[in-house]
Amino acid sequence: MNFDLSPEQELLRETVRTFARERIAPVAAKLDREERFPYELVSELAELGMMGIPIPEQYGGAGGDTVSYALAIEELTRIDSSVAITVAAHTSLGTMPILLFGSDEQQERWLPDLASGRRLAAFGLTEPDAGSDAGATRTTAELRDGSWVVNGSKIFITNAGTDISWGVTITARTGDDEISNIVIENGTPGYAVSAQMQKLGWRASDTRELSFEECAAPEGNLLGPRGNGFRQFLEILDGGRIAIAAMGVGLAQGAYDLALAYAKERHQFGKPIASFQAIQFRLADMITEIEAGRAMVYRAAWLKDHGRPFALEAAMAKLYTGELSHRVANYALQIHGGYGYMEESAISRFYRDQKILEIGEGTNEVQRMVIARHLGL
């Protein structure tokens, strides 16, 4: 077994790490406080080729592997989750459906703008009454005169309402027992995007409610065969969980970094609190768990890169790192004491940003369901 990263992967990690520290860290708190989308940072990430890491070069992507993509998401989240989820949702959920299921014509038409980061893509699965039970989708799409006429709504959708948003791939019922995926481009009549939703965390990311009223999309916007939507979005979620698991590791590492630095600086009883065994043991437990979670994420990514089954490992990694990030963020804030409870403290942002990692891309309970099914239960 070889756990070394390739020179290309090492370079990518260092490039993203440096960018995150020098460009994102100085403005992350302000963006969060103002709930402002980071257009300039996204543009700079696009210039670095980070908005399409796993997309083939022929479409304008970086042609990187899943491990490289996980490394980038981890390093971004280590500094700020809002920027990280913007990249992850655009890549894993927004762009991947076009790459995996789009026709040659669809790929040539849409992927260059998406892989280059000139435009942002979204994925519309969740509805007000269809979250964990995605099969309960109520949005409908009826084929009329060469168009899919869509009616319904989606909620908690990332990247759908920015100035550079391209469109959204939605799941819709195209028959009584049939779900299909259809692309709805921004500006299509009958497609409306709500105002930015206010959130506990990820405040600088774009989150919207979408509504469709007699929204007519061209028949050619159907992704893959009609009725394959359920299978398609399950495959998309499997891959997306690797990115969210990488976010769990990145957030935990970032929270640990803050706690370690604070423990060395904060003095009580005449010496740094890092000299107390209680703090030392807590930090030791935190970094041990982080390393375990990182190994799970990289293994799931490696399996995917080698064309092996990875859905079980992705679900386990997502479950473990989501709960890991909860523990580490909580312990890190405890080490900060009262200062950690203040909004001016970076750890308070990490604490707020963490919770969604146990909910998005399938709740902890859904991950356990997925794992149980793989066990034959």
Side-chain angles (χ1 to χ4, degrees):
M1 298 192 308
N2 181 4
F3 290 94
D4 290 335
L5 298 176
S6 70
E8 293 79 13
Q9 290 166 339
E10 289 277 12
L11 177 61
L12 181 141
R13 181 170 67 177
E14 189 56 38
T15 299
V16 179
R17 181 177 293 175
T18 300
F19 177 85
R21 288 176 175 172
E22 295 181 357
R23 295 291 299 120
I24 302 176
V27 298
K30 189 175 190 326
L31 290 170
D32 175 81
R33 185 170 57 253
E34 297 176 356
E35 300 186 26
R36 180 160 51 87
F37 187 78
Y39 286 104
E40 184 176 342
L41 295 176
V42 171
S43 176
E44 292 179 30
L45 284 167
E47 291 177 7
L48 290 173
M50 299 302 161
M51 300 302 291
I53 291 174
I55 310 302
E57 294 180 8
Q58 71 185 91
Y59 298 118
D65 56 16
T66 311
V67 172
S68 298
Y69 175 46
L71 289 168
I73 297 300
E74 178 186 341
E75 290 299 328
L76 291 173
T77 317
R78 190 172 178 175
I79 299 299
D80 182 64
S81 292
S82 290
V83 173
I85 190 56
T86 298
V87 177
H90 164 73
T91 305
S92 298
L93 302 182
T95 306
M96 275 298 168
I98 312 300
L99 178 65
L100 294 179
F101 311 120
S103 65
D104 291 343
E105 188 277 330
Q106 289 171 331
Q107 292 172 346
E108 292 171 3
R109 176 184 172 192
W110 292 323
L111 283 180
D113 276 349
L114 302 181
S116 65
R118 291 190 293 269
R119 304 294 299 276
L120 285 180
F123 186 62
L125 173 62
T126 304
E127 298 183 0
D129 294 315
S132 296
D133 183 12
T137 295
R138 294 186 179 180
T139 297
T140 61
E142 181 183 354
L143 192 58
R144 300 184 209 158
D145 301 323
S147 296
W148 291 105
V149 180
V150 180
N151 287 280
S153 63
K154 301 291 179 178
I155 199 168
F156 311 140
I157 308 305
T158 303
N159 290 341
T162 74
D163 293 343
I164 57 174
S165 292
W166 153 80
V168 59
T169 299
I170 64 163
T171 55
R173 291 199 170 276
T174 49
D176 291 338
D177 296 307
E178 181 181 273
I179 293 178
S180 303
N181 283 332
I182 299 170
V183 171
I184 310 291
E185 295 186 68
N186 278 35
T188 302
Y191 171 36
V193 180
S194 77
Q196 166 74 304
M197 302 181 78
Q198 294 185 312
K199 309 183 294 292
L200 174 69
W202 289 3
R203 291 178 175 175
S205 73
D206 182 78
T207 308
R208 310 278 180 156
E209 184 171 5
L210 316 180
S211 61
F212 308 91
E213 185 174 352
E214 293 293 292
C215 174
E219 183 177 359
N221 282 21
L222 178 73
L223 279 188
R226 176 174 174 168
N228 274 23
F230 194 85
R231 180 190 63 80
Q232 289 173 353
F233 75 67
L234 289 180
E235 183 175 340
I236 291 296
L237 292 177
D238 284 339
R241 283 170 184 147
I242 296 176
I244 300 300
M247 288 190 68
V249 171
L251 187 141
Q253 183 69 59
Y256 168 84
D257 293 342
L258 293 171
L260 179 64
Y262 185 81
K264 291 178 178 179
E265 297 169 359
R266 175 67 167 168
H267 283 67
Q268 289 289 279
F269 305 103
K271 53 186 176 179
I273 63 172
S275 66
F276 299 125
Q277 192 176 69
I279 302 297
Q280 293 173 356
F281 282 13
R282 181 66 77 191
L283 290 167
D285 288 345
M286 290 159 68
I287 195 60
T288 300
E289 289 196 65
I290 290 168
E291 284 301 323
R294 180 174 287 119
M296 294 180 73
V297 174
Y298 291 3
R299 173 162 169 76
W302 182 89
L303 288 170
K304 185 175 187 295
D305 284 334
H306 285 76
R308 301 186 186 181
F310 68 92
L312 171 60
E313 287 77 9
M316 291 193 296
K318 199 272 184 186
L319 170 63
Y320 182 78
T321 60
E323 296 187 346
L324 159 69
S325 63
H326 176 93
R327 291 191 295 273
V328 173
N330 185 55
Y331 296 152
L333 194 149
Q334 186 72 18
I335 289 172
H336 280 76
Y339 288 103
Y341 200 67
M342 300 297 105
E343 279 289 348
E344 69 240 31
S345 173
I347 194 60
S348 68
R349 173 167 50 86
F350 277 71
Y351 189 83
R352 287 186 286 100
D353 285 341
Q354 183 282 323
K355 187 57 192 175
I356 190 62
L357 297 178
E358 301 178 85
I359 298 171
E361 290 268 5
T363 63
N364 291 358
E365 292 75 18
V366 166
Q367 302 314 308
R368 288 183 167 90
M369 290 168 57
V370 171
I371 294 166
R373 287 171 184 163
H374 279 277
L375 299 178
L377 303 176

